[in-house]
Amino acid sequence: MLDIVIKIALLGFAISSFILLLRVIKGPSTPDRVVALDAMGINLIAITALMSMLLATNAYLDVILLLGILSFIGTVAFSKFLEKGVIVEYERNR
């Protein structure tokens, strides 16, 4: 019974990821695209967690953690770029 629920949830997240991909491609503005990319990262984490449950293994837990960290860093970088126009600020001393 749990396998059926997990497979239905995987299907739902796959459909959601496809809709978010359309939002990334056609988004009316750049902030909408950034939010869609962040949501796609969350969907990828959820799909990985569900696959880990379906396969009854703990091997993917490190992958989930890494995806979460990378998704957060990517969102912060995009936000900073949209706000200031640069990602890394540095001063040159001569």
Side-chain angles (χ1 to χ4, degrees):
M1 181 67 183
L2 184 62
D3 290 344
I4 295 170
V5 173
I6 292 174
K7 289 177 183 176
I8 291 171
L10 281 172
L11 180 65
F13 280 115
I15 292 170
S16 174
S17 294
F18 179 73
I19 293 170
L20 287 169
L21 180 65
L22 292 177
R23 175 56 58 198
V24 169
I25 293 171
K26 293 178 59 177
S29 66
T30 306
D32 290 330
R33 291 182 173 124
V34 171
V35 169
L37 274 174
D38 187 41
M40 282 182 68
I42 293 170
N43 276 354
L44 185 60
I45 291 169
I47 288 171
T48 308
L50 287 172
M51 286 302 296
S52 177
M53 289 172 60
L54 188 64
L55 298 175
T57 181
N58 293 332
Y60 297 115
L61 297 180
D62 293 334
V63 174
I64 293 170
L65 182 62
L66 181 66
L67 285 173
I69 292 169
L70 290 177
S71 177
F72 173 74
I73 291 172
T75 303
V76 169
F78 273 127
S79 304
K80 190 170 181 183
F81 178 73
L82 288 176
E83 183 178 326
K84 297 183 180 179
V86 294
I87 296 174
V88 177
E89 299 174 11
Y90 65 95
E91 295 181 21
R92 291 176 56 177
N93 294 329
R94 288 190 172 191

